[in-house]
Amino acid sequence: MTNAFHRRRRSGLVVAVALAAATAACGHGQGNPLREPTEEELGRAAPDSFRVSFATSRGPFIVVARRRWAPHGVDRFYYLTKHHFYDSTYFFRVIENFVAQFGISGDAAVNDAWTDRRIADDAVRHGNTRGTISFASQGPNTRTVQLFVNLKDNPKLDTFGGGFPPIAEVVQGMTTVDSLHAGYGEGAPGGFGPRQDLIMRQGNAYLRRYFPRLDQIRSATVVQEWR
């Protein structure tokens, strides 16, 4: 019995060592997927469509992304969501009867990594109708990580500043999105809401201190894919 016990113990030790070595080998040379995304990873195409489940402080909602609407934008959204970029982020700009904007990380180091990782423009193939989701931008070829949900039909956004191509749409739980706290209004300097530059530098600590009523995305998870 003693010899059999020791053989099993040695066998278990060998397996454990082998698993540890395999894990180390797999992780060798791989950086943090949010702080150090590789160009190869960012260049991979997303599925034709996929479903994302959002859990928020107001309740759940579900989104379906459609690559045919905006391939570059959907590819970026897929990468970010698969790596949980939007987990623990806030709806920092909610303008009643207009848009609900989110997508600045609560981690300043992650924000630094994505500031200059811009994606090429997509044509506007679907209108900014109520419930659709588009990337925010500051002009041609400036989209990075921020998104907004259209709280009403916003046809002007189809052409304004070159247009904001929708990448996805809310298919369930739009009442949750409608209920997001909008009391802080427009961000500074145009209003008294959060300053994006301070969110970028200070992360969620800034929002929790000065804007405690903002609603949070607790998790955003890809739950189904179609190829």
Side-chain angles (χ1 to χ4, degrees):
M1 181 180 292
T2 301
N3 290 337
F5 170 78
H6 285 299
R7 283 198 298 272
R8 286 196 299 270
R9 187 176 180 183
R10 286 196 297 271
S11 177
L13 180 60
V14 170
V15 171
V17 171
L19 287 173
T23 302
C26 290
H28 181 69
Q30 294 180 355
N32 183 303
L34 289 180
R35 296 190 181 189
E36 303 174 29
T38 68
E39 295 305 317
E40 179 185 358
E41 290 174 325
L42 293 179
R44 293 174 186 165
D48 294 336
S49 59
F50 53 93
R51 188 184 300 264
V52 178
S53 177
F54 284 80
T56 81
S57 53
R58 287 282 180 172
F61 66 95
I62 294 175
V63 163
V64 171
R66 307 183 190 283
R67 195 169 187 271
R68 67 178 183 275
W69 284 6
H72 297 305
V74 172
D75 290 349
R76 173 60 57 88
F77 179 53
Y78 182 73
Y79 180 90
L80 292 171
T81 307
K82 287 290 284 187
H83 291 93
H84 301 283
F85 178 93
Y86 297 109
D87 293 7
S88 301
T89 62
Y90 282 84
F91 290 95
F92 62 85
R93 178 178 179 250
V94 182
I95 310 300
E96 191 173 2
N97 202 35
F98 182 41
V99 299
Q101 190 166 335
F102 64 98
I104 300 180
S105 175
D107 184 334
V110 171
N111 290 323
D112 286 343
W114 289 93
T115 298
D116 296 321
R117 295 188 181 277
R118 301 173 179 177
I119 52 178
D121 287 340
D122 286 302
V124 178
R125 298 186 176 96
H126 189 286
N128 281 271
T129 53
R130 171 173 160 79
T132 56
I133 299 176
S134 302
F135 272 97
S137 70
Q138 296 178 318
N141 302 306
T142 57
R143 296 179 299 170
T144 53
V145 296
Q146 292 189 42
L147 297 162
F148 62 84
V149 185
N150 286 289
L151 301 180
K152 68 164 188 172
D153 290 350
N154 287 314
K156 290 184 179 180
L157 298 183
D158 298 346
T159 56
F160 180 79
F164 296 83
I167 64 163
E169 61 183 335
V170 177
V171 296
Q172 186 177 328
M174 191 62 193
T175 53
T176 295
V177 182
D178 288 333
S179 71
L180 296 171
H181 182 72
Y184 297 117
E186 185 61 85
F192 298 101
R195 286 178 49 178
Q196 293 191 29
D197 61 326
L198 292 183
I199 309 174
M200 294 282 290
R201 293 201 302 268
Q202 299 178 26
N204 286 347
Y206 162 71
L207 295 176
R208 288 169 179 155
R209 180 174 181 181
Y210 296 106
F211 304 94
R213 298 189 65 188
L214 288 177
D215 288 300
Q216 186 184 48
I217 296 172
R218 291 172 177 161
S219 65
T221 308
V222 176
V223 294
Q224 192 172 11
E225 302 180 5
W226 296 272
R227 295 184 182 270

